[in-house]
Amino acid sequence: MKYNPSLHKLSNGIAVIFDSMDLETTYVKIRFNTGSRDEKPSQYGITHFCEHMFCKGTHRFPNRDAMRKFMWPNDMGFSANTGNSVLNFYGNCLPNKLNVLIDFLSNILSDSLFDSESIEQERGAILDEYNRFLDQEQTKYNDLVDRELFGNKNTVYCGKTTGTPENIQSFTREQMLKFISKRMSATNCTIIVSGKIKNQKQILKTLEQKFQFLKPFDVPENTKVKYTPNQAHLSVPDRNSTMVNILFSQVYPMDKNHRFQRLCVDMWRLFVEMQLNKCLRQDNGLVYGIQNVDILDDNNKFLLNGIQTKIAPKNIEKCVALIAKTCADIYYNNTMSQDDLNLLNARIRMMDARFLDSRADRERKLLDYYYCNKELYSFSEDKKLKNAITLQDIIKYTRGIFNDKTMSILTMGADYNCDLMKVWHKNFKPNNSKL
């Protein structure tokens, strides 16, 4: 599938990205770079509550039923979501209805009622959403990461985005409108149009007309990240296995000047993952699988690289010891060969092909890259850099990746009786690197 995105600017400063794809539908996402990271604890949940109210009605479409009766006959869909660093509104349609979709999205963002009756109705729905999040295993894990590595001791993870029950009950119409007026700007807004795109000039003209209501002003961002390496376990008594995460902070910053170095590290991590699966599953039958995992901070600027698996508690010490020994052998003895590199290049070609086939992956990459670098992501440039990687580059740019000072081990699930950090340090040594 072709990959030839383009970047444009509206007169008020909104960035517009086009990513034409061979699809039968057209997608529009409007992203504001703000979320729970920019809220004080007393405000946790206000962005999310506002997101809900943008979906509750305008003067043209006074309720959800009126919205549906307009969208469905016009071959359209619409939704929204809030994250730690983003407030998203998105819709899809048949290509000949794109102008209708853009008009609808503009109306939602410029004319939502935020009426008091709807606000009261929505409090219950958001409280229910909060309670459902509490039941999810991913929420428990996110809470563990947020509490133990990033110092948020006061609020469960989902409470930062959905809001605490106390906050949800307290927000007023005036508070929400005041908050949105300071957080939704043309300056922190990016619009991406992807899928089947027929006439970019006409679409830009329509966007220019419909989104002039957004005024440009600077939106302060809470970009402070404080990472504290730690070892922690969250006990879940009814589990038969334990999830293990061995984490290190990324060696290179998340900027365009270090793309080549990060690609070398990514290649090396794929090799480590391959060798760990061979050792732990194929040779020892300890785990079903083991994979690389990343934890990215709210601003897409700080990254933890790690290894994750699930294992029965009785085998956890042996498992971590083998992980440490395997990683030490690769790291100290430089065991990757040219044949290994060729094999990994073949795997990366397939991963790149899947990326090109995925509208959602392309959209996410384009938006995140633009946010970090204020320029268009180049897939072809990344491909050239990947093809240029040598074994010597991989050795050079992966030094320091297992940095004791940035190491964390987080576990969740069944309890176990050993100190996994001590197990790692005992086995991750040059003289222990031969299995």
Side-chain angles (χ1 to χ4, degrees), residues 29-32 51 79-83 86-90 367:
K29 175 178 278 189
I30 303 165
R31 167 170 159 166
F32 294 91
E51 172 229 309
S79 192
N81 73 283
T82 305
V86 293
L87 172 60
N88 292 318
F89 302 90
Y90 46 95
L367 287 170

Side-chain angles (χ1 to χ4, degrees), residues 403-420:
N403 184 343
D404 282 356
K405 293 181 180 179
T406 72
M407 182 181 182
S408 292
I409 297 181
L410 295 184
T411 55
M412 186 177 80
D415 297 333
Y416 53 91
N417 294 311
C418 61
D419 185 330
L420 295 183

Side-chain angles (χ1 to χ4, degrees), residues 176-325:
M176 284 188 267
L177 292 178
K178 181 179 180 180
F179 186 82
I180 286 300
S181 71
K182 294 182 178 180
R183 289 294 170 189
M184 294 176 64
S185 161
T187 307
N188 73 340
C189 178
T190 306
I191 299 175
I192 186 167
V193 183
S194 58
K196 183 166 284 189
I197 302 173
K198 291 184 175 181
N199 188 332
Q200 292 189 13
K201 288 184 178 180
Q202 180 58 47
I203 298 169
L204 282 171
K205 184 177 179 180
T206 302
L207 290 170
E208 178 73 33
Q209 175 189 359
K210 295 295 181 180
F211 283 87
Q212 278 302 303
F213 71 89
L214 280 173
K215 304 304 179 185
F217 57 88
D218 290 334
V219 179
E221 296 179 355
N222 180 17
T223 57
K224 295 179 181 178
V225 178
K226 184 180 180 181
Y227 165 62
T228 303
N230 199 4
Q231 179 177 202
H233 173 65
L234 177 63
S235 178
V236 185
D238 62 343
R239 295 292 187 268
N240 295 312
S241 64
T242 304
M243 179 171 66
V244 180
N245 296 270
I246 302 170
L247 304 165
F248 300 86
S249 64
Q250 182 168 263
V251 178
Y252 301 102
M254 299 285 289
D255 60 47
K256 62 183 179 181
N257 296 324
H258 293 87
R259 285 167 69 183
F260 184 74
Q261 291 92 328
R262 292 199 307 274
L263 288 170
C264 290
V265 171
D266 289 344
M267 182 83 76
W268 187 81
R269 292 181 67 210
L270 283 175
F271 178 70
V272 171
E273 181 185 70
M274 181 174 70
Q275 296 303 105
L276 287 174
N277 272 288
K278 179 179 182 299
C279 172
L280 293 170
R281 178 169 180 167
Q282 181 178 318
D283 297 345
N284 288 278
L286 286 174
V287 300
Y288 180 79
I290 186 167
Q291 60 279 325
N292 292 323
V293 64
D294 296 319
I295 297 175
L296 187 63
D297 83 292
D298 298 347
N299 304 292
N300 296 321
K301 297 182 186 299
F302 177 82
L303 184 67
L304 293 174
N305 296 146
I307 301 160
Q308 182 184 92
T309 191
K310 285 187 176 183
I311 189 161
K314 66 179 182 179
N315 295 325
I316 198 168
E317 183 173 357
K318 181 179 180 181
C319 177
V320 172
L322 285 172
I323 291 173
K325 288 180 180 180

